Amino acid sequence: MRFDVTHDEIKRANVPHELFLTNLIGNHILLTVGLGGLAGSYPWVMALIPAISFGILGFTLWRARRARQHDSWYVMCHWQVCARRSRLFMLMLGLLLLAVALGWAGYTYGGMMKEAVWALVAGIGILPVMASILVLVMIESDALYHANQAKLPQWVVERFPHPQA
């Protein structure tokens, strides 16, 4: 649905989508590649990536909750769109952290071979996160385009009806 909003509202509605895309592309793709060279010598440096991501996703959820009282309806709705996707991505990162914890426990206490642990972490944790990053980058890029076109998905309009409607 297309709405009659100001240019300032469109700019403010872009912010959550730009923040989410920055996390996905800048943190999960570019920073991963950049820190990948250090991971051979310092494997725990890779823990920075989910730590930064959880910080950004937590801020997004906090800001979406705050937007319900402080922002215009159109801007608030775009924060809610990003909050929904942030929760989904936090679930995927939680699955990755669970796979890492299981791999560590299996290696340390269960006598698993290092190769089996890597297969567990990669198959159950890293692969689903990479696939979700790919899908979320495409979906969020489309949402950013729609924010610039003064559009909202139907589910948002139904869940958060316009106060003047």
Side-chain angles (χ1 to χ4, degrees):
M1 301 181 85
R2 192 175 189 104
F3 297 94
D4 184 30
V5 294
T6 66
H7 181 67
D8 182 55
E9 283 182 301
I10 288 174
K11 285 174 57 179
R12 290 190 355 235
N14 285 340
V15 171
H17 304 295
E18 291 168 349
L19 181 64
F20 196 70
L21 283 169
T22 300
N23 183 28
L24 292 175
I25 296 169
N27 184 30
H28 285 280
I29 296 173
L30 298 176
L31 193 59
T32 300
V33 171
L35 293 178
L38 291 174
S41 302
Y42 308 101
W44 291 104
V45 75
M46 297 304 280
L48 282 173
I49 296 163
I52 291 169
S53 187
F54 276 119
I56 293 171
L57 295 171
F59 172 78
T60 301
L61 294 176
W62 171 80
R63 184 63 179 81
R65 201 171 317 115
R66 187 173 179 267
R68 292 183 182 184
Q69 288 91 22
H70 298 289
D71 289 326
S72 69
W73 176 80
Y74 181 72
V75 175
M76 181 272 302
C77 286
H78 277 281
W79 277 104
Q80 302 313 311
V81 169
C82 279
R84 184 179 190 183
R85 293 175 184 155
S86 294
R87 284 185 206 98
L88 172 70
F89 194 56
M90 286 179 91
L91 179 70
M92 297 307 295
L93 288 176
L95 179 66
L96 171 61
L97 293 177
L98 178 66
V100 168
L102 289 175
W104 174 79
Y107 181 73
T108 305
Y109 301 111
M112 287 179 69
M113 296 184 333
K114 184 167 70 170
E115 292 79 12
V117 170
W118 278 110
L120 173 78
V121 170
I124 296 176
I126 295 173
L127 186 62
V129 168
M130 288 172 51
S132 65
I133 288 171
L134 175 66
V135 170
L136 286 171
V137 164
M138 292 186 302
I139 291 172
E140 210 46 42
S141 296
D142 186 54
L144 181 60
Y145 172 76
H146 284 180
N148 283 315
Q149 299 297 314
K151 293 181 182 179
L152 280 169
Q154 185 64 34
W155 69 266
V156 179
V157 176
E158 291 171 0
R159 184 157 182 209
F160 302 100
H162 196 289
Q164 297 163 346

